[in-house]
Amino acid sequence: MQYGSQSRNDSFIKRLLFVDPRSPSALSSATLELAQTLIARPSVSPADGGCQELMIERLAACGFEIERLRFNGVDNFWARRGRERPVFCFAGHTDVVPAGPAEGWSSDPFVPTVRDGLLYGRGAADMKTGLAAMVTACEEFVRSHPRHRGSIALLITSDEEGQSVDGTRRVVEVLEARGEKIDWCLVGEPSSERRLGDTIKIGRRGSLSGRLTVHGIQGHVAYPQLADNPVHALAPALADLVTRVWDHGNAHFQPTTFQVSNLNAGTGAPNVIPGELKARFNLRFSTEQTVAGLKATVESILTRHRIKYTLEWFLSGNPFFTAPGELSAAASRAVQEIVGITPALSTGGGTSDGRFIAPTGAQVVELGVINATIHKVDEHVRMEDVDTLQRAYLRTMQLLLT
Ligand SMILES: [Zn+2]
């Protein structure tokens, strides 16, 4: 079903989301309504599409001080309620990845659409329902605990899915420069796998990419003695790189992996030995490795095979790890109480903006909805999970700040 007009939209939301206002879950409908409004504001990275203003309006109304931080056209904000420590902070992003080919979607990716208890739309899982749950959890918490201990904060960016240069990284620089600390940070990224709350991330692997150019000499395939084929030069080195066991991981991390993402050579003509080969690769690495060590290993393998190359490195993030502590204990207990399962504490998956926050000394965990459809066509979330997540966020705040 699709929302055509505003009135259809309203009546549909009422019919579907009506909850007895006396029940403690009356706010659930507020979470879903806010999530749908956010999805309806297209915000393909690094655009924000007005999502942050909507969040800011709601947070300011319940006593948060707002600081808008715009860097090179990228919108971010820092919101804080309270002046004391400990500081509990929700972190997340309003930007989404492109929808991809529209015809692949069953409904308009920027029209929040409900079918069979699922809410569809770009950002439904990654991570506009998480943002909505943060805002309504804050509203509900502040209403029942206006004089909570410590501070509640939100660090929101619209540059997570893209370059991640003018987003969380920059906001953290501002906070660090004035000595403002986050003690506990809950990132609302979709961390769950099969069931809401089955996985809480307590760290992430590092990500190191390389752009490799192998230099050869172009020539006629019939006269290889007059040429130097960069494909042939790289092949045995590549075999070493892809079969290498980098490490065995450790108690908290999967083993380090090496993957080639792009490989290009050739002029298009079948009778020409190419003069150059370009490759891109990525290492996802555990805390068993260092960036310097990985670079040295790759370069020594290329050198051992006598390859003439240039290599540029790009570090997306070092691995980070939050040892089990108050924050992971509170989030786990909240999931146990609200969902009835015990979450696994994991460091798997891709990188997140937690990589910029953890180095400040903050405890960082990630807890959000199921990630099975993120970045895909027909991205969706189970509607009941949105309310459950909101209650888990609320319970986490109660455990830490009351
Ligand atoms: Zn995300």
Side-chain angles (χ1 to χ4, degrees):
M1 195 173 299
Q2 195 161 327
Y3 302 148
S5 67
Q6 190 57 39
S7 62
R8 242 183 97 198
N9 187 350
D10 287 350
S11 70
F12 183 65
I13 287 177
K14 276 195 202 96
R15 187 152 42 90
L16 197 98
L17 305 176
F18 179 78
V19 182
D20 186 324
R22 289 160 301 180
S23 92
S25 58
L27 265 163
S28 308
S29 57
T31 310
L32 278 163
E33 275 186 61
L34 178 56
Q36 294 178 68
T37 311
L38 290 170
I39 293 167
R41 297 186 176 196
S43 54
V44 175
S45 189
D48 164 66
C51 296
Q52 290 183 17
E53 277 310 313
L54 187 61
M55 296 176 71
I56 283 171
E57 210 174 283
R58 300 276 288 256
L59 294 166
C62 58
F64 281 79
E65 283 176 44
I66 310 293
E67 190 174 351
R68 292 175 177 81
L69 295 155
R70 192 173 161 85
F71 303 110
N72 296 318
V74 169
D75 287 312
N76 309 280
F77 76 85
W78 169 249
R80 179 165 173 171
R81 188 181 195 280
R83 301 201 181 281
E84 307 295 319
R85 288 178 75 174
V87 177
F88 170 82
C89 175
F90 283 116
H93 60 90
T94 50
D95 58 326
V96 297
V97 293
E103 57 275 18
W105 285 72
S106 309
S107 51
D108 186 330
F110 297 106
V111 176
T113 303
V114 172
R115 289 191 298 275
D116 304 325
L118 305 174
L119 171 62
Y120 287 81
R122 177 55 86 221
D126 187 8
M127 51 169 283
K128 289 181 169 177
T129 48
L131 296 176
M134 291 172 186
V135 170
T136 59
C138 286
E139 288 173 339
E140 197 171 338
F141 181 76
V142 165
R143 201 173 310 143
S144 49
H145 306 283
R147 282 185 291 278
H148 55 81
R149 89 177 177 112
S151 301
I152 316 165
L154 284 90
L155 194 172
I156 305 297
T157 181
S158 63
D159 182 29
E160 197 275 341
E161 298 289 9
Q163 298 294 310
S164 301
V165 168
D166 293 308
T168 302
R169 181 200 301 256
R170 297 288 300 271
V171 179
V172 166
E173 282 170 10
V174 169
L175 297 177
E176 285 286 283
R178 65 185 183 215
E180 192 167 351
K181 285 290 179 187
I182 296 170
D183 295 284
W184 299 311
C185 183
L186 193 160
V187 184
E189 290 284 359
S191 64
S192 302
E193 285 165 15
R194 285 183 190 81
R195 210 174 146 190
L196 179 74
D198 62 4
T199 305
I200 292 178
K201 308 264 191 211
I202 53 168
R204 295 276 194 162
R205 289 174 296 173
S207 174
L208 176 67
S209 297
R211 185 153 63 197
L212 174 71
T213 305
V214 178
H215 307 288
I217 298 169
Q218 187 175 317
H220 194 297
V221 291
Y223 301 93
Q225 70 279 14
L226 303 177
D228 179 8
N229 193 325
V231 180
H232 297 196
L234 182 64
L238 200 52
D240 282 1
L241 289 164
V242 301
T243 54
R244 183 181 173 81
V245 177
W246 298 81
D247 55 58
H248 297 283
N250 56 35
H252 299 288
F253 284 87
Q254 298 169 345
T256 298
T257 58
F258 174 97
Q259 285 292 311
V260 174
S261 56
N262 289 271
L263 189 68
N264 298 295
T267 61
N271 57 351
V272 179
I273 292 170
E276 195 174 78
L277 175 151
K278 287 183 181 296
R280 301 197 72 156
F281 60 86
N282 178 268
L283 287 142
R284 290 295 156 111
F285 60 102
S286 71
T287 45
E288 296 295 298
Q289 301 288 343
T290 63
V291 172
L294 289 169
K295 287 180 177 177
T297 302
V298 170
E299 287 166 10
S300 76
I301 289 171
L302 296 173
T303 304
R304 193 169 72 230
H305 288 278
R306 297 197 176 80
I307 294 169
K308 296 185 233 23
Y309 68 92
T310 46
L311 177 54
E312 288 173 275
W313 290 102
F314 305 89
L315 178 66
S316 312
N318 272 301
F320 69 89
F321 175 67
T322 292
E326 299 113 312
L327 178 59
S328 58
S332 297
R333 188 173 148 195
V335 168
Q336 281 163 358
E337 288 180 13
I338 305 293
V339 191
I341 58 172
T342 301
L345 302 179
S346 151
T347 60
T351 63
S352 87
D353 275 1
R355 71 189 189 270
F356 302 123
I357 300 166
T360 67
Q363 293 178 24
V364 179
V365 302
E366 298 176 25
L367 170 61
V369 295
I370 294 170
N371 57 27
T373 62
I374 61 172
H375 296 205
K376 291 186 178 176
V377 158
D378 278 347
E379 178 179 349
H380 63 266
V381 65
R382 290 172 53 197
M383 292 178 78
E384 62 182 280
D385 284 355
V386 179
D387 299 329
T388 309
L389 181 68
Q390 190 262 3
R391 291 201 297 279
Y393 283 174
L394 179 60
R395 185 69 188 126
T396 303
M397 296 170 85
Q398 288 167 348
L399 289 168
L400 290 170
L401 296 180
T402 63

